[in-house]
């Protein structure tokens, strides 16, 4: 018997999918695979698990006693959706749970489990039958994330096995049900792929009452400054158009913060702020703004990560990769002065929305805005299909998305902001038509849309390193990866490169069969090279350090990049905010004093930042990676408090994740290698000289294929250098010269002969990041 509150009962009734409950449940009972297509917001994610639950799935006494599993490409969706479903069913989080890499609420009582697709993939290598599940819902399949694609392939095999085994003895194991859910109709890669499913699964289209959305293209396409364009557009909508929420698509956290700040200044949501104060030291702290204030300190920047294996979707991290932001605040400010003051506009309730925002802050988009205020959510493409924001009438779409591009043959990756696909643009527009007719303002011209937008987004498997999944698949005894039923198979070169790399690090033998080392590596939820470092890390009692290093490398550089220290990119020229107020109030002297004061403070902060970097690099800076080790050790030593993070310019959220991952890896090591004795010692001593040497070797072994040699040595001449600036290195994967990134601790020293690097990244040049010196014998 399900208990639902009156209010929830009523909102549920309005969801289009509830009309199809019976048809859906019939299809599921008659078929092992069912595909459900339905517009974002039609109720797929929140309702399907409940349909299954009410039909007896997850009930030990029923025919389908196993739990109901739902996968999500994004962590935030896994967490927030499990909360929502728990609430709708009036069950606690032990029964309706989630599991993501760092965190879980699952228990022995769990009946509905939301998880990232990476989590389920890892479970598969331990239990290929997925015997604890009765149904698996694969959500957001249209996104075509790497893990989702692989999961669908693997599960098609699990399905057969479960069927065969249950036919042998039904009392032992029951068949499994698969539900694939998509927000678009582009599903032929799943339904028409005979290698995947020999009987094409039935497709149920949820008839979402979608209201018409008028599309307005810009006459011209602004080349760089779409943040400014967006700001202007929002101002116009808010001052001139009737009520209705605004949803704005931007590409990353930095842009979102800038835009939110500007909007909040222009249209304070609390009326008492309408007479703007001249200098505001603190962001407003009315109720809904308080977390944005907090957001200042854990603003996340430059978060490249090397976590390529079975971790969570990259998307979570992309939001924070702000190396290449082209948008500045300048031109927004210009425009700000133009908006006529006699155009009355009520308060605007501005909320940011991106993956790493705390769940609590994310949940606010579901709450109604304060009385009389208009809701304006500024989001990444997380709002494209994963989360549905109620009450949106206007969509402002910059037409861009941030993506990691990866060149499989050279290993060089770059983060680019590029045009979305036509399909994405339509999804975004569709967000305006959920509750009534809407409008979508595209900040690009129809010519650009027609000529430069691809029809569909390229599946992730074609643009990302796949060695992690290949190893995982080998560990599931899927030997011939080339025969695997990928929805869209990766190209041969990419498969070959992945296998080559796995051979290099000893995970595969010369016949590409998994080795025992490879099997051991596959037990860790990490990129294969990190797993290798752990496995060889037992010398000289180095394991606790290696665990800390690998955790930090998996989460990504925890340091805040210096120029973001006070949240602005501008080196000088003061804060635009103040300049606006300066013009408006003409209180020159006071203002000037303030500006000078702020500049001085920024200078001081910057000096402190570099001092911290030096401190963590040690007296002998030989490795960026050992710098991470040092800061992780110091953080634990401090008891893991926020003050430490602030003083040391590291991101609190990253440090917390590193802490959690350390705990998890320690547990896995304890479980797998009974002979070693590891625990997390909060007062871990810094490594000795011998240990440091060993750690450098372990790091080198993990990155054995990523050695770079100074170019003059390759050429046979030895020069002497006074700095690393402009000194070229050669690597084995690419013919291009590569350089030491300015953020490296090695940048200011002499250029070493040999280094290993953690990653190559292209901006104007190809840069090495995460560098460690290899000391010659
Ligand atoms: P779909 O998966 O088809 O895109 P969802 O099941 O995610 O649809 O959403 C259905 C409805 O539930 C939407 O109108 C959405 O706004 C609402 N909803 C989802 N999560 C919450 C929440 N945490 N609080 C309130 N409403 C929510
Ligand atoms: Mg959904």
């Amino acid at each position: 018997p399900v208990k639902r509150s009156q209010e929830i009962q009523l909102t549920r009734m309005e969801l289009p999918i509830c009309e199809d409950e019976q048809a859906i449940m019939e299809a599921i009972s008659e078929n092992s695979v069912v595909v459900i297509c339905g517009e974002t917001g039609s109720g797929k994610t929140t309702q399907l698990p409940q349909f299954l639950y009410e039909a007896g799935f997850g009930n030990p006494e029923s025919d389908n006693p196993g739990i109901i599993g739902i996968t999500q490409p994004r962590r935030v969706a896994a967490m927030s959706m499990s909360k929502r479903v728990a609430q709708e069913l009036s069950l606690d989080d032990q029964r309706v749970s989630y599991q993501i890499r760092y965190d879980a609420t699952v228990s022995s009582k769990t009946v509905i489990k939301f998880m990232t697709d990476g989590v389920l993939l890892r479970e598969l290598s331990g239990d290929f039958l997925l015997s604890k599940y009765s149904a698996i819902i694969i959500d957001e399949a249209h996104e075509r994330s790497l893990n989702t694609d692989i999961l669908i392939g693997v599960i098609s095999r699990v399905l057969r096995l479960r069927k065969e085994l249950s036919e042998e003895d039904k009392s032992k194991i029951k068949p499994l049900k698969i539900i694939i859910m998509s927000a678009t109709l582009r599903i032929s890669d799943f339904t028409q792929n005979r290698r995947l499913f020999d009987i094409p699964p039935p497709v149920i289209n949820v008839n979402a009452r979608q209201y018409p959305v008028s599309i307005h293209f810009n006459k011209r396409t602004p080349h760089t400054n779409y943040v400014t364009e967006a700001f202007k557009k929002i101002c116009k909508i808010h001052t001139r158009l009737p009520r209705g929420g605004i949803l704005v698509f931007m590409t990353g956290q930095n842009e979102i913060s800038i835009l939110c700040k500007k909007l909040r200044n222009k249209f304070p949501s609390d009326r008492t702020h309408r007479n703007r104060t001249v200098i505001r030291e603190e962001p407003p702290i009315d109720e809904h703004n308080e977390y944005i204030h907090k957001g200042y300190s854990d603003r996340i920047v430059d978060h490249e990560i090397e976590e390529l294996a079975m971790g969570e979707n990259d998307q979570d991290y992309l939001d924070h990769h702000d190396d290449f932001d082209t948008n500045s605040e300048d031109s927004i400010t210009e425009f700000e002065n133009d908006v006529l003051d006699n155009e009355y506009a009520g308060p605007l309730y501005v909320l940011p929305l991106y993956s790493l925002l705390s769940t609590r802050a994310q949940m606010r988009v579901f709450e109604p805005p304060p009385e009389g205020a208009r809701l304006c959510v500024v989001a990444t493409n997380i709002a494209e299909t994963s989360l549905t924001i109620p009450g949106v009438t206007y969509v402002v779409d910059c037409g861009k998305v941030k993506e990691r591009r990866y060149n499989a043959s050279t290993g060089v990756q770059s983060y680019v902001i590029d045009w979305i696909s036509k399909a994405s643009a339509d999804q975004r527009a569709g967000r305006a038509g959920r509750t009534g007719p809407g409008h979508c303002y595209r900040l690009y011209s129809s010519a650009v849309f027609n000529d430069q937008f691809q029809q569909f987004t390229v599946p992730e498997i074609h643009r990302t390193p796949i060695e992690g999944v290949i190893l995982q698949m080998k560990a599931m005894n899927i030997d011939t990866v080339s025969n695997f039923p990928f929805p869209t198979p990766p190209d041969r070169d990419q498969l070959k490169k992945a296998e080559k790399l796995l051979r290099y690090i000893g995970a595969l033998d010369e016949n590409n069969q998994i080795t025992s080392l490879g099997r051991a590596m596959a037990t860790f939820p990490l990129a294969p090279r990190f797993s290798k470092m752990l496995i060889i890390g037992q010398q000289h009692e180095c394991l606790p350090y290696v665990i800390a290093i690998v955790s930090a490398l998996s989460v990504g550089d925890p340091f805040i990049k210096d120029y973001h220290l006070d949240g602005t990119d501008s080196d000088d020229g003061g804060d635009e905010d103040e300049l606006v107020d300066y013009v408006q109030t003409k209180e020159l002297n006071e203002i000037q004093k303030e500006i000078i004061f702020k500049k001085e403070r920024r200078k001081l902060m910057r000096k402190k930042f570099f001092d911290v970097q030096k401190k963590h690099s040690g007296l002998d800076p030989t490795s960026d990676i050992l710098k991470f080790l040092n800061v992780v050790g110091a953080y634990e030593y401090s008891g893991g408090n926020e003050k430490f993070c602030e003083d040391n310019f590291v991101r609190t959220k990253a440090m917390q994740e590193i802490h959690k991952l350390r705990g998890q890896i320690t547990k896995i090591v304890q479980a797998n290698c009974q002979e070693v004795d590891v625990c997390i010692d909060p007062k871990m001593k810094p490594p000795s000289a011998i240990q440091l040497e060993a750690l450098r070797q372990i790091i080198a072994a993990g990155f054995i294929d990523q050695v770079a040699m100074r170019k003059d040595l390759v050429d046979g001449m030895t020069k002497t250098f006074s700095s690393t600036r402009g000194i070229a290195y050669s690597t084995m994967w690419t013919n291009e010269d590569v350089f030491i990134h300015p953020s490296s601790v090695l940048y200011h020293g002499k250029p070493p002969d040999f280094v290993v690097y953690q990653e190559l990244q292209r901006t104007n040049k190809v840069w090495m990041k995460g560098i460690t010196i290899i000391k010659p014998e």
Side-chain angles (χ1 to χ4, degrees), residues 38-46 72 77 81 139-140 142 181 183 385-388:
E39 265 297 330
T40 304
S42 53
K44 299 182 300 297
T45 310
T46 51
Q72 294 289 326
M81 290 301 159
D139 203 358
E140 310 285 345
H142 61 274
M181 303 206 293
T385 62
S386 287
L387 300 180
T388 313

Side-chain angles (χ1 to χ4, degrees), residues 62-114:
S62 78
D63 257 359
N64 300 292
I67 63 181
I68 303 160
I70 306 102
T71 69
Q72 294 289 326
R74 291 187 182 75
R75 291 193 237 157
V76 346
M79 288 163 66
S80 61
M81 290 301 159
S82 79
K83 291 205 172 112
R84 175 66 183 174
V85 171
Q87 191 194 355
E88 290 198 15
L89 285 172
S90 317
L91 293 174
D92 60 24
D93 68 359
Q94 297 204 329
R95 283 171 211 277
V96 182
S97 324
Y98 69 84
Q99 184 176 354
I100 59 175
R101 184 169 75 173
Y102 305 106
D103 223 339
T105 57
V106 280
S107 73
S108 56
K109 292 188 196 139
T110 298
V111 271
I112 298 179
K113 171 171 158 185
F114 282 83

Side-chain angles (χ1 to χ4, degrees), residues 324-341:
F324 45 81
D325 261 330
T326 45
N327 285 288
S328 72
E329 301 180 51
D330 309 6
S331 38
I332 295 186
T333 309
E334 274 168 36
F335 174 78
E336 216 168 356
N337 296 326
D338 297 348
V339 174
L340 300 173
D341 266 344

